[in-house]
Amino acid sequence: MSSDTTAKPAIPDSCCFVIFGVTGDLSHRLVIPALYNLAESGLLPERFCVVGITRTEMQSKALHDDLMEGLQKFATRPIDKAVAQKLFDCVLSIHADPAEPNSFERLKAHLDKIRTTDGIKNHLFYLAVPPSAFRPISEELGRLGLLTDQPDGWRRLVIEKPFGTDLKSARELNLDLLKIVNEHQLYRIDHYLGKETVQNILVLRFANGMFEPIWNRNHIDHVQITVSETIDVGTRGSFYEATGALRDMVPNHLFQLLALVAMEPPSRFDAHSVRSEKGEVLAAIQTQTEEEALTNSVRGQYVAGRVRDKDISDYRKTAKVAPDSVVETYAALKLTIDNWRWAGVPFYLRTGKSLNAKRTEVAIRFKAAPFSMFRATEVERLSQNYLVIGIEPTEGITLQFNTKVPGPSVTVDGVEMKFKYKDYFKVAPSTGYETLIYDCMIGDNILFQRADSVEAGWQAVQPFLDAWKKSGTNGLAMYKAGTDGPQEANELIERDGRRWRRIDGE
């Protein structure tokens, strides 16, 4: 993520892009389309190859055909056959399985051959696999020295979230991986940070003198962070039973948004400075007792309803879901940050499935001005002052404020000023992975989580996990699919004299 506003993006050094799980859903939907988009934009290295790792023997031609079929299904822009052909011509299929150590010897032999014959000396290992495979694959790569930086070539390892399932497992994963690679080699990828609007939070805050002076407890009443989805759990019943909404979304997606909104200004715009400030603010989230966690949270589970034109059945009737499951499909939390800037400012987070609209946004509510001048105006007519950063489905920024209604009398009403990216910038549709993969290749880890941030996030949510586990069905709120969530979530924020923004509103 370059901070230079004028320079053309640099072309990455030559590299071999090694994908474990190359035939999986993640590769088909996101990784390969992102590589194609980079190729079409001229942002892949001149000397570049893709090594697709499969768990069963597969000819390279068969892998080409499989990847092309996936690209045709999931491409975000029209496919230029020449560009696609050039990309897939450099794809090599190799069988490797941690259960068969000799198969990694073959992988090393192939990479050594590429190094010798093609002169490609840099290796990027992308683990598009379940988290349970992170350790065994990394250990095999480490055993053969494939993750050791060389004087003439770098080695980098990319892993997908989740980074653990609780604080203990996150610490263990970090400890195990950092025995094999150094922190600067490890790229923990979160696709939310590839979204332009998310990255723009940094620019909005620190490149505009009008915002930073009021970005504190003296002027901000509270912050709402919302990630709502209309989709149900679908075919991911077994995954969701082991994960739930809190684990799935809060320590990664929502906390990354929180960190960008709440972090202190970095001393410079580089990976170390930005990641250090993000880690500091996540560590400053107050660790609650289990009793406090129950008071300051709501967990919900959807029951049958209708979302748009689709009928949704009970979560408990989903395949591979326990008929008496207490796993949450909705979570709402009230958090506080124990530092000077944010003392006394609550952060309200919510996320859920089968809700009435798909929306991801950060809403900053400013404190109200004194109303004494406008005694004749009904308080309801005075608009709340919000700065809303829209991430999905509409990318943009909205400022909500009060103004005088035209006419002879002083009548006040709320209005909005809206900036939408599509109105100002002509950007080709993307997967959201392009920036992240490009940054992996150029060695810029500013958008990637560091070990301390991962552990700080789990530290903050661990009391909620423990309290919910002990409470069982007690406190599990049911909500109808197609609504904005359980009523208890409204009560959570309303007891503080505040209200959630409408999920289905503009």
Side-chain angles (χ1 to χ4, degrees):
M1 181 183 175
S2 172
S3 60
D4 191 329
T5 59
T6 58
K8 182 179 179 181
I11 302 301
D13 296 334
S14 63
C15 76
C16 187
F17 196 96
V18 184
I19 308 177
F20 286 83
V22 68
T23 59
D25 182 63
L26 177 63
S27 290
H28 281 142
R29 285 190 302 109
L30 296 168
V31 179
I32 295 303
L35 285 176
Y36 169 82
N37 291 343
L38 288 171
E40 197 231 9
S41 301
L43 292 177
L44 287 184
E46 293 182 10
R47 287 181 296 166
F48 180 75
C49 69
V50 176
V51 176
I53 308 300
T54 60
R55 297 190 65 177
T56 57
E57 297 285 353
M58 188 175 193
Q59 295 297 317
S60 293
K61 177 61 168 62
L63 180 57
H64 296 176
D65 294 342
D66 177 71
L67 296 181
M68 177 60 84
E69 182 179 345
L71 179 62
Q72 290 171 339
K73 182 177 181 181
F74 295 109
T76 61
R77 60 186 73 166
I79 298 174
D80 183 320
K81 291 185 178 180
V83 174
Q85 191 61 49
K86 183 179 179 181
L87 174 63
F88 293 137
D89 281 348
C90 74
V91 174
L92 176 67
S93 175
I94 295 178
H95 163 65
D97 188 333
E100 304 172 34
N102 290 339
S103 64
F104 277 74
E105 302 280 359
R106 292 197 301 272
L107 170 59
K108 184 178 186 301
H110 278 289
L111 295 179
D112 287 343
K113 182 179 179 181
I114 292 171
R115 179 186 180 92
T116 302
T117 59
D118 299 329
I120 301 178
K121 301 176 182 180
N122 301 308
H123 299 156
L124 179 65
F125 297 94
Y126 196 115
L127 306 193
V129 295
S132 59
F134 291 167
R135 288 186 183 90
I137 291 175
S138 300
E139 287 170 354
E140 286 302 308
L141 294 174
R143 178 178 66 84
L144 295 172
L146 291 173
L147 291 176
T148 303
D149 277 336
Q150 302 298 317
D152 61 347
W154 47 256
R155 304 288 183 270
R156 293 169 190 151
L157 180 67
V158 184
I159 62 173
E160 286 273 350
K161 70 100 175 171
F163 314 119
T165 57
D166 54 20
L167 179 58
K168 180 175 181 290
S169 61
R171 285 174 172 166
E172 291 173 348
L173 178 62
N174 282 333
L175 184 63
D176 290 344
L177 291 179
L178 293 175
K179 290 178 181 177
I180 303 168
V181 294
N182 294 319
E183 182 65 59
H184 75 271
Q185 296 176 275
L186 185 56
Y187 290 71
R188 301 173 184 83
I189 199 165
D190 184 338
H191 71 270
Y192 259 56
L193 291 182
K195 297 179 184 296
E196 289 290 342
T197 321
V198 174
Q199 298 171 46
N200 194 48
I201 295 174
L202 288 173
V203 178
L204 176 74
R205 285 192 59 190
F206 303 128
N208 295 291
M210 69 185 79
F211 292 119
E212 188 57 24
I214 60 172
W215 209 267
N216 55 57
R217 59 188 171 86
N218 295 322
H219 301 280
I220 292 178
D221 178 79
H222 73 277
V223 177
Q224 297 182 24
I225 302 177
T226 299
V227 179
S228 68
E229 300 179 286
T230 55
I231 60 172
D232 58 5
V233 171
T235 60
R236 304 172 71 213
S238 58
F239 165 80
Y240 222 75
E241 278 291 274
T243 306
L246 182 63
R247 284 187 173 92
D248 188 34
M249 300 295 289
V250 175
N252 36 73
H253 300 333
L254 275 79
F255 274 8
Q256 287 304 297
L257 295 175
L258 181 149
L260 291 171
V261 169
M263 64 185 277
E264 292 298 313
S267 57
R268 58 182 58 87
F269 195 77
D270 60 28
H272 174 75
S273 300
V274 171
R275 298 206 296 176
S276 293
E277 295 299 346
K278 287 170 64 178
E280 286 288 334
V281 78
L282 289 175
I285 297 174
Q286 184 185 54
T287 301
Q288 304 187 29
T289 66
E290 290 182 16
E291 182 179 356
E292 290 170 334
L294 287 177
T295 300
N296 294 321
S297 69
V298 172
R299 58 187 176 120
Q301 187 183 97
Y302 66 79
V303 296
R306 188 172 182 83
V307 180
R308 299 291 189 260
D309 57 351
K310 181 181 178 182
D311 289 322
I312 304 293
S313 61
D314 292 357
Y315 169 74
R316 291 177 178 178
K317 294 181 180 179
T318 304
K320 300 183 179 179
V321 167
D324 57 351
S325 174
V326 296
V327 171
E328 79 285 353
T329 60
Y330 178 100
L333 311 178
K334 175 187 175 182
L335 303 174
T336 55
I337 297 175
D338 289 337
N339 64 18
W340 185 263
R341 179 184 293 264
W342 297 110
V345 178
F347 283 70
Y348 300 98
L349 282 59
R350 58 176 171 169
T351 183
K353 291 191 175 296
S354 293
L355 300 176
N356 58 3
K358 179 179 177 63
R359 182 171 295 274
T360 300
E361 70 174 29
V362 176
I364 294 98
R365 162 78 189 281
F366 293 96
K367 290 184 176 180
F371 295 144
S372 58
M373 289 177 58
F374 307 104
R375 293 188 184 90
T377 303
E378 295 179 7
V379 173
E380 291 75 13
R381 298 286 295 176
L382 290 170
S383 175
Q384 296 178 348
N385 296 147
Y386 271 107
L387 179 68
V388 182
I389 302 167
I391 297 165
E392 283 188 306
T394 301
E395 294 185 329
I397 300 168
T398 299
L399 182 62
Q400 184 175 298
F401 59 96
N402 290 293
T403 189
K404 177 183 176 296
V405 176
S409 61
V410 178
T411 305
V412 180
D413 204 354
V415 296
E416 292 182 339
M417 292 177 60
K418 294 186 178 181
F419 154 71
K420 295 183 179 180
Y421 271 79
K422 66 181 181 179
D423 295 338
Y424 284 81
F425 305 109
K426 304 302 178 186
V427 180
S430 66
T431 66
Y433 269 56
E434 290 80 2
T435 296
L436 299 173
I437 290 176
Y438 173 81
D439 284 353
C440 289
M441 291 190 290
I442 65 172
D444 184 355
N445 46 23
I446 196 170
L447 293 176
F448 299 83
Q449 292 195 61
R450 209 165 58 184
D452 57 341
S453 293
V454 171
E455 294 179 19
W458 282 113
Q459 177 77 40
V461 302
Q462 190 64 51
F464 298 95
L465 293 173
D466 295 341
W468 290 359
K469 182 178 180 180
K470 291 177 182 178
S471 61
T473 57
N474 293 330
L476 181 64
M478 299 301 182
Y479 65 97
K480 188 176 180 181
T483 65
D484 59 0
Q487 174 58 29
E488 288 82 349
N490 295 329
E491 296 168 1
L492 172 69
I493 191 171
E494 286 172 359
R495 70 174 182 231
D496 295 336
R498 302 178 175 100
R499 290 182 299 173
W500 291 111
R501 285 172 50 81
R502 286 178 52 191
I503 289 177
D504 62 349
E506 272 299 316

